[in-house]
Amino acid sequence: MSEELVVRRISNGTVIDHIPSGRALKVLRILGITGEEGYMVSMVMNVYSKKLGKKDIVKVEGRELSSEEVNKIALVAPTATINIVRDYEVVEKRKVELPDRIEGILRCVNPKCVTNAPREAVHPSFRVISRKPLKLVCEYCGEYLTEEEVIAQLAGT
């Protein structure tokens, strides 16, 4: 008897593969998917992966991701692969890439940082100083942001 996992193919939309195990719900939260939008969403968690040992997969029917959404996913799932599907065919496949500089997505954890001052028109920006584990530094005040803080900001956990 086969132990193959069967998940329906999607006709049009996005498949996010190679999500680190246990982070699929965070990816859905980043995408703002609550289930009330009407998208057909398939999600498998903690399935076997040759590359990662275990992984999560998210399939969203009828939605292609923006570059900003992909950048956010790169922060919580740096091993993820984005597959764009049209008419049941993968027309684009790419790995997410964490840019060297993150601007306007996260806020600095230092309450005294100029980027947190309501009257200043300064957008927070961070330089990536470590990818594994993720560690960012604020370009204005030098405060560090850890992977857990990044996930908490993006996924609200």
Side-chain angles (χ1 to χ4, degrees), residues 77-103:
T79 56
T81 305
I82 307 292
N83 300 295
I84 303 300
V85 178
R86 294 184 191 135
D87 294 325
Y88 294 102
E89 299 290 328
V90 176
V91 296
E92 182 182 336
K93 182 174 187 170
R94 61 186 160 119
K95 291 183 174 189
V96 299
E97 289 184 30
L98 187 62
D100 294 332
R101 188 168 182 261
I102 312 292
E103 186 173 353

Side-chain angles (χ1 to χ4, degrees), residues 119-134:
R119 293 185 180 193
E120 297 291 336
V122 180
H123 296 289
S125 63
F126 298 88
R127 201 166 24 86
V128 176
I129 57 171
S130 170
R131 294 183 185 315
K132 197 171 182 175
L134 181 64

Side-chain angles (χ1 to χ4, degrees), residues 20-93:
S21 178
R23 294 199 176 173
L25 292 173
K26 292 174 177 54
V27 169
L28 287 178
R29 193 170 288 197
I30 286 171
L31 297 176
I33 295 175
T34 64
E36 296 177 2
E37 302 80 17
Y39 296 113
M40 184 168 63
V41 177
S42 303
M43 178 178 67
V44 290
M45 296 177 74
N46 299 312
V47 294
Y48 172 74
S49 166
K50 287 181 189 174
K51 184 178 167 185
L52 301 174
K54 287 184 176 181
K55 68 177 180 179
D56 295 350
I57 303 169
V58 171
K59 295 182 175 186
V60 183
E61 179 85 42
R63 181 169 170 185
E64 294 184 12
L65 305 183
S66 70
S67 58
E68 183 179 335
E69 290 171 322
V70 172
N71 286 341
K72 287 180 180 178
I73 291 171
L75 288 165
V76 299
T79 56
T81 305
I82 307 292
N83 300 295
I84 303 300
V85 178
R86 294 184 191 135
D87 294 325
Y88 294 102
E89 299 290 328
V90 176
V91 296
E92 182 182 336
K93 182 174 187 170

